[in-house]
Amino acid sequence: MLRHFLQFKDLSRDELLYLFDRATLIKSRFKQYQPYHPLADRTLAMIFEKSSTRTRLSFEAGMHQLGGSAIYLNTRDTQLGRGEPVEDAGEVISRMVDIVMIRTFEQEIIERFAAHSRVPVINGLTNEYHPCQILADIFTFIEHRGPIQGKTVAWVGDSNNMCNTWLQAAEVLDFNVHVSTPPGYEVEPERANLFGTDHFESFVDPMDACRDADLVTTDVWTSMGWEAENDERLKDFADWQVDAEMMAVAKPGAVFMHCLPAHRGEEVTAEVIDGAQSVVWDEAENRLHVQKALMEFLLLGKVDA
Ligand code: CP
Ligand code: NVA
């Protein structure tokens, strides 16, 4: 059966736990320089309508390491930028490659592409969600602190694609998210596509959101596509900077995460992101390993090799 990964809840809890185990194995083989080429002769098309460092690198290197190849396409150099319907692009691109990753604006665009695709489609970030990043974040948490079930994640800042995806993940994997956003930037449960509010709680004061958290995380104040609001956001978010005081009210063993790129002095202080509780470099590296497990799963199903 054709499977896509367009939002976090497209995978069940069992499938996610399988993926995390698989990522552990794939990572360990990679660290031991053991070749592993289950996707020999397979091709990944990567379509970027927004900038990227980590997503491009991790998908391209990951596909290569699995024995396949990757092709980079962007809006500017393709007919997508000249108005070719996304449905037509889905039909054509999916006849020539085995799997597609897309980074774009509205979630609706990737859904329309997937509806016309013969091959699996992966969301490499939309305005609404960033599911590959949350796969890497949860995998990183498990590596450092064990199972995430029952734990508390504090989200400080914008209710953006990362926040929405954390909220979805909390429902699938049964943990809690404490959210604090400035007034006017609150979570929209419908946009986050949540079943209910059992797994998240909103806090006016970011210090209250961080209290007793197992993981404190944030993201840029201005996401790609919202650049026109940057000056206003710099003022509105000034009190939502993750700093040492916020980390001090979290659990003593709490970790700090940021999907990167980061702006030290805005959403996080240098002291926190470069400090002992920060796991941001492992988090970035783990994009590679979890996405290799994801591509393997979408193309080959569960394997025990
Ligand atoms: N975190 C992340 O997705 O980074 P890039 O924008 O560099 O791909
Ligand atoms: N929320 C950010 C994440 C970047 C990886 C954005 O959408 O720009």
Side-chain angles (χ1 to χ4, degrees):
M1 193 186 75
L2 177 59
R3 296 287 300 271
H4 302 298
F5 188 51
L6 305 183
Q7 48 184 300
F8 199 86
K9 60 163 91 157
D10 286 348
L11 294 177
S12 68
R13 176 190 149 76
D14 282 355
E15 288 167 339
L16 289 161
L17 297 180
Y18 162 82
L19 273 196
F20 296 136
D21 280 349
R22 207 57 209 158
T24 305
L25 188 71
I26 287 172
K27 179 173 180 174
S28 125
R29 283 180 178 161
F30 177 69
K31 297 284 180 185
Q32 294 170 58
Y33 298 99
Q34 284 180 19
Y36 179 57
H37 294 157
L39 302 185
D41 286 334
R42 309 285 182 120
T43 307
L44 163 73
M46 307 182 295
I47 305 170
F48 283 93
E49 303 216 77
K50 291 176 177 172
S51 305
S52 168
T53 299
R54 279 145 288 267
T55 302
R56 176 178 178 182
L57 193 56
S58 52
F59 270 105
E60 191 162 340
M63 193 54 173
H64 177 75
Q65 290 159 16
L66 292 174
S69 53
I71 297 172
Y72 170 80
L73 301 169
N74 65 35
T75 314
R76 199 183 52 244
D77 301 330
T78 60
Q79 300 291 3
L80 277 168
R82 299 181 64 253
E84 179 164 19
V86 69
E87 290 80 1
D88 293 4
E91 293 284 352
V92 173
I93 293 169
S94 72
R95 284 179 184 230
M96 299 190 189
V97 300
D98 301 280
I99 187 163
V100 179
M101 189 286 308
I102 308 181
R103 168 168 287 196
T104 187
F105 292 88
E106 290 80 21
Q107 179 72 9
E108 189 221 341
I109 297 173
I110 196 167
E111 280 168 6
R112 283 164 52 208
F113 187 103
H116 289 262
S117 173
R118 294 180 169 199
V119 302
V121 178
I122 297 172
N123 182 344
L125 181 147
T126 56
N127 289 351
E128 286 82 359
Y129 309 119
H130 197 1
C132 292
Q133 183 67 54
I134 301 300
L135 277 185
D137 293 10
I138 294 174
F139 179 65
T140 307
F141 184 85
I142 295 169
E143 278 190 326
H144 283 267
R145 295 286 179 268
I148 198 162
Q149 185 173 20
K151 297 288 195 300
T152 298
V153 175
W155 176 270
V156 176
D158 192 14
S159 62
N160 61 13
N161 41 13
M162 283 292 297
C163 176
N164 287 340
T165 313
W166 270 116
L167 294 170
Q168 268 199 8
E171 292 194 338
V172 185
L173 294 172
D174 188 26
F175 60 90
N176 309 303
V177 184
H178 288 179
V179 181
S180 181
T181 67
Y185 297 90
E186 290 88 356
V187 169
E188 295 167 42
E190 213 165 281
R191 194 157 171 263
N193 197 2
L194 302 180
F195 321 120
T197 53
D198 288 356
H199 292 85
F200 90 93
E201 203 176 330
S202 298
F203 295 83
V204 173
D205 184 341
M207 286 290 280
D208 292 332
C210 293
R211 210 169 303 285
D212 296 324
D214 298 279
L215 189 172
V216 176
T217 185
T218 186
D219 187 13
V220 291
W221 289 341
T222 304
S223 285
M224 292 181 279
W226 277 264
E227 288 81 0
E229 297 178 9
N230 192 44
D231 291 348
E232 201 180 326
R233 283 170 172 262
L234 281 176
K235 284 185 239 132
D236 293 346
F237 283 80
D239 293 334
W240 276 261
Q241 178 186 70
V242 176
D243 58 14
E245 270 181 72
M246 288 188 200
M247 292 307 295
V249 296
K251 287 216 178 107
V255 290
F256 171 78
M257 288 192 196
H258 189 308
C259 66
L260 307 176
H263 298 77
R264 288 169 177 76
E266 291 185 19
E267 72 273 8
V268 60
T269 61
E271 187 185 8
V272 168
I273 195 169
D274 300 320
Q277 286 168 281
S278 174
V279 294
V280 296
W281 311 131
D282 287 346
E283 180 188 1
E285 177 192 324
N286 282 335
R287 290 289 301 278
L288 175 70
H289 311 300
V290 295
Q291 289 163 195
K292 284 164 79 175
L294 175 67
M295 289 191 287
E296 182 193 58
F297 175 71
L298 293 176
L299 286 171
L300 305 180
K302 287 188 182 174
V303 292
D304 50 22

